[in-house]
């Protein structure tokens, strides 16, 4: 299957700083990428959907100014958590759809990033 | 909008016993349905998916699921549980080119 690489796999940052998480599709062009957040022992909650070259669409309740998403190329999307606080500590997972397939039905997931804000 | 409900947040079985994880979906159009497995601090691995065609879908690691439109269900089964099957399992639904929505997850424990 297609590979999505997410980096870093874990990060610790101080409260008030910003953290950038990268999501790359390694062997396909991802016209659409999704960002999820997962709290311990809970399900994945969709934060936003990003399409290459356009602004991300955020789910209700997600602060777009706090969680900046950039999808500048067909293989890279970034999520920047700005002015991070301890309550932002979570597991963040990206996924990507292969835009090259005519009837794409599957999204491929990155390995996730464990963010801890201290 | 599409959604899924996973019945049972925790399922415990003995090694060698049948595994049954339940999932019901809601969708306004014919759905695409997925089962994923997640190990601690890792991303999601696709077990199997249903898009169109045969309603009984076979996946990796001996898992299979059956799409039942009349029951709006997509339950996951495995005839004989293995210790390595212990993990978190997520059912997900997607409508064509739409985002994927996940159930709350079911933690599977396998007892020796």
């Amino acid at each position: 299957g297609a590979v999505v690489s997410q980096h870093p796999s874990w990060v610790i940052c101080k409260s008030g700083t910003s953290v950038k998480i990268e999501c790359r599709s390694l062997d396909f062009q991802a016209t659409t990428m999704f960002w999820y957040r997962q709290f311990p022992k809970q399900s994945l909650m969709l934060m936003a959907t990003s399409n290459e070259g356009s602004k991300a669409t955020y789910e209700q309740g997600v602060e777009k100014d706090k969680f900046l998403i950039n999808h500048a190329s067909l293989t890279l999307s970034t999520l920047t958590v700005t002015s991070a606080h301890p309550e932002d500590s979570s597991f963040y997972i990206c996924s990507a759809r292969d835009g090259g397939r005519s009837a794409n039905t599957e999204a491929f997931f990155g390995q996730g990033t464990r963010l801890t804000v201290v | 909008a599409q959604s899924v409900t996973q019945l049972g947040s925790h399922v415990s079985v003995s090694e060698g016993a049948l595994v049954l994880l339940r999932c019901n979906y809601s969708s306004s159009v014919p759905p695409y349905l997925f089962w994923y497995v997640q190990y601690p601090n890792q991303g999601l691995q696709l077990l199997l998916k249903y898009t169109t065609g045969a309603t009984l879908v076979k996946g990796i690691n001996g898992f299979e699921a059956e799409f039942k439109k009349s029951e709006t269900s997509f339950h996951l089964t495995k005839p004989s549980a293995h210790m390595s099957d212990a993990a978190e399992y997520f059912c997900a639904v997607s409508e064509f080119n739409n985002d994927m929505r996940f159930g709350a997850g079911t933690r599977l424990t396998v007892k020796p």
Side-chain angles (χ1 to χ4, degrees), chain A residues 32 34 36 38 41-44 46 49 59 91 93 97 101-112 114, chain B residues 6 32 34 36 38 41-44 46 49 51 88 90 94-105 107:
Chain A
T32 304
F34 305 92
Y36 294 85
Q38 185 180 32
K41 298 184 179 181
Q42 293 189 29
S43 187
L44 283 75
L46 181 67
T49 302
E59 294 297 301
F91 194 58
I93 304 176
R97 286 193 185 276
R101 303 185 185 188
S102 60
N104 176 56
T105 57
E106 180 181 347
F108 303 96
F109 286 83
Q111 309 94 310
R114 170 72 60 193
Chain B
Q6 288 183 242
Y32 299 145
F34 307 82
Y36 287 88
Q38 184 182 36
N41 291 313
Q42 294 188 27
L44 277 68
L46 180 68
K49 65 179 179 180
T51 54
E88 189 84 18
F90 292 97
S94 173
E95 297 169 359
F96 181 69
N97 272 347
N98 284 351
D99 55 79
M100 192 174 290
R101 302 286 172 160
F102 289 85
R107 180 168 298 278

Side-chain angles (χ1 to χ4, degrees), chain B residues 11-22 62-64 75-82 85 108-110:
Chain B
V11 170
S12 181
V13 301
S14 297
E15 191 173 20
L18 171 71
V19 176
L20 171 61
L21 305 183
R22 300 177 186 274
F63 285 95
E64 62 181 39
H75 302 330
L76 181 71
T77 61
K78 181 174 181 177
S80 177
H82 191 272
D85 294 326
L108 175 66
T109 301
V110 182

Side-chain angles (χ1 to χ4, degrees), chain B residues 47-86:
Chain B
L47 285 176
L48 48 79
K49 65 179 179 180
Y50 168 79
T51 54
T52 59
T55 56
L56 181 61
V57 180
K58 294 186 183 299
I60 62 172
N61 301 339
F63 285 95
E64 62 181 39
E66 186 171 11
F67 170 62
K68 292 187 176 180
K69 184 178 179 180
S70 61
E71 299 177 6
T72 61
S73 69
F74 190 59
H75 302 330
L76 181 71
T77 61
K78 181 174 181 177
S80 177
H82 191 272
M83 296 296 291
S84 61
D85 294 326

Side-chain angles (χ1 to χ4, degrees), chain A residues 4-13 17-25 33-38 47 50 58 66-72 75-82 84 88-95 109-117:
Chain A
V4 174
S5 176
Q6 194 172 333
H7 178 81
S9 56
W10 61 270
V11 58
I12 301 174
C13 71
T17 62
S18 295
V19 174
K20 180 183 286 188
I21 302 170
E22 292 188 348
C23 180
R24 293 180 184 274
S25 57
M33 287 187 170
F34 305 92
W35 287 94
Y36 294 85
R37 183 173 182 177
Q38 185 180 32
M47 298 174 66
S50 72
Y58 290 80
K66 181 168 187 62
F67 298 99
L68 300 179
I69 292 173
N70 184 284
H71 193 165
T75 59
L76 174 65
S77 176
T78 60
L79 167 67
T80 301
V81 183
T82 63
D88 299 324
S89 299
S90 189
F91 194 58
Y92 293 87
I93 304 176
C94 71
S95 72
F109 286 83
Q111 309 94 310
T113 298
R114 170 72 60 193
L115 171 62
T116 301
V117 185

